[in-house]
Amino acid sequence: MIRCREIGIADLDAIADLLTRGFPIRSRDYWIDGLRRLSVRETPDSFPRFGYMLEHDRAPVGALLLIHTARNDGGSTSIRCSLSSWYVEPAFRTYAPMLTKVAQRHEDVTYVNISPAEWTWQTIEAQGFQRYCGGLFFSFPALSYPVKAMRVEIFRQDTQAIDGLSEADVALLARHAAYGCLCLVCRAADGRAFPFVLQQMRAGGIRLPAMQMIYCPDVPDYVVCAGAIGRFLLRHGRISIALDANGPVAGLVGIYRAVGRKYFKGPHCPRLADLSDSELVIYGP
């Protein structure tokens, strides 16, 4: 007998074993570390903390990990759900639609898939998802002209407040600093503050001389701050910042590549260059 239910704390070891079999390029520690982060992370009321599983003979045979976040969109609170890793044992694949149906049943929730495999694109689109990001723009910010007197400060996770930033931005920076992201605040000469969250990019476990933009308030803010950020990163051996884009970004020097397609379904189309509270930071690149 097969049933679909929420993943609970007692299931985490078995879920980690299942996902390690399903994604052999990921270690078991990768899954355990991410699940532990979810176990202490604030989750909106009435939504699952970890996601859903298919159970057979009291053992998981399928799992769909979810990350729910309450967000402020235009003054009102909305819920975004990042659809993370999905795996079902081959003998139980016919039951896989049970997972997606249960996980995506809320019409007022915006569902986001930021790492779909190419072979799943048609299936995702058939489920009602729309593409909102077609690729990545690899910028070389040190080649941008720096704004006069702009300073770059590293944000520490125990920081309580920053002049010019809202409480929500400070909380977001603190959260992501705790996840191991590089959180920066650019300070303009007139006192304005611009928050940024960056993450080291990796390929096959190899650290690249590039960072990925996890969060900025708006892409034009990055264009303004690019010169200062680029010179800061250059001193730490980082030459490029990759950000979500649908083509070349005006005001930046770089190269656009049609890789990293991203989808959404629901009432709010995600902004480009906002991957905050996603699987990239909860589980890691």
Side-chain angles (χ1 to χ4, degrees), residues 42 70-72 155-176 185 193 195 197 215 277:
E42 184 176 348
R71 305 175 65 92
N72 190 308
F155 181 96
R156 310 295 180 185
Q157 70 179 81
D158 57 352
T159 302
Q160 301 296 314
I162 291 285
D163 288 342
L165 292 186
S166 67
E167 290 184 7
D169 275 337
V170 171
L172 184 147
L173 291 177
R175 252 188 345 267
H176 288 75
V185 177
V197 178
Y215 174 81
D277 296 295

Side-chain angles (χ1 to χ4, degrees), residues 172-227:
L172 184 147
L173 291 177
R175 252 188 345 267
H176 288 75
Y179 295 147
C181 296
L182 174 62
C183 298
L184 303 176
V185 177
C186 287
R187 179 79 60 183
D190 61 5
R192 287 180 300 157
F194 303 89
F196 297 91
V197 178
L198 304 172
Q199 185 180 55
Q200 177 72 52
M201 294 191 77
R202 293 180 173 84
I206 300 173
R207 292 164 63 91
L208 303 177
M211 306 292 285
Q212 181 151 16
M213 181 69 73
I214 297 298
Y215 174 81
C216 69
D218 203 359
V219 172
D221 291 340
Y222 171 55
V223 174
V224 169
C225 300

Side-chain angles (χ1 to χ4, degrees), residues 26-275:
R26 301 293 192 188
S27 70
R28 188 176 188 278
D29 286 344
Y30 173 88
W31 300 112
I32 286 293
D33 290 345
L35 291 167
R36 285 174 178 165
R37 285 176 173 171
L38 282 181
S39 70
V40 297
R41 180 180 177 274
E42 184 176 348
T43 302
D45 291 342
S46 78
F47 291 97
R49 179 170 294 278
F50 305 103
Y52 292 95
M53 59 183 278
L54 290 176
E55 187 177 55
H56 175 67
D57 285 344
R58 298 185 179 180
V61 295
L64 175 55
L65 302 182
L66 307 175
I67 304 169
H68 288 89
T69 306
R71 305 175 65 92
N72 190 308
D73 292 296
S76 61
T77 300
S78 63
I79 303 297
R80 178 181 294 184
C81 176
S82 179
L83 301 173
S84 184
S85 304
W86 177 95
Y87 176 71
V88 178
E89 297 276 25
F92 300 93
R93 293 278 165 84
T94 55
Y95 297 95
M98 291 174 62
L99 281 174
T100 56
K101 184 177 181 179
V102 170
Q104 301 171 26
R105 68 184 186 276
H106 298 285
E107 294 184 358
D108 57 343
V109 171
T110 297
Y111 296 96
V112 181
N113 190 332
I114 66 168
S115 57
E118 184 173 352
W119 63 270
T120 67
W121 290 352
Q122 283 190 329
T123 301
I124 291 170
E125 291 168 2
Q127 293 174 359
F129 281 81
Q130 303 175 59
R131 185 179 70 180
Y132 76 92
C133 174
L136 291 172
F137 183 77
F138 292 86
S139 67
F140 300 98
L143 298 180
S144 294
Y145 187 78
V147 173
K148 186 177 180 180
M150 180 170 283
R151 307 190 314 273
V152 179
E153 308 162 2
I154 296 178
F155 181 96
R156 310 295 180 185
Q157 70 179 81
D158 57 352
T159 302
Q160 301 296 314
I162 291 285
D163 288 342
L165 292 186
S166 67
E167 290 184 7
D169 275 337
V170 171
L172 184 147
L173 291 177
R175 252 188 345 267
H176 288 75
Y179 295 147
C181 296
L182 174 62
C183 298
L184 303 176
V185 177
C186 287
R187 179 79 60 183
D190 61 5
R192 287 180 300 157
F194 303 89
F196 297 91
V197 178
L198 304 172
Q199 185 180 55
Q200 177 72 52
M201 294 191 77
R202 293 180 173 84
I206 300 173
R207 292 164 63 91
L208 303 177
M211 306 292 285
Q212 181 151 16
M213 181 69 73
I214 297 298
Y215 174 81
C216 69
D218 203 359
V219 172
D221 291 340
Y222 171 55
V223 174
V224 169
C225 300
I229 293 175
R231 283 155 179 77
F232 171 86
L233 292 179
L234 206 56
R235 296 195 295 271
H236 296 80
R238 306 290 179 260
I239 63 174
S240 178
I241 295 178
L243 64 154
D244 294 341
N246 287 307
V249 179
L252 293 176
V253 178
I255 303 169
Y256 175 76
R257 291 288 182 264
V259 296
R261 181 180 291 195
K262 297 173 178 66
Y263 286 89
F264 87 101
K265 179 172 72 172
H268 300 286
C269 179
R271 288 191 299 103
L272 294 174
D274 181 4
L275 300 173

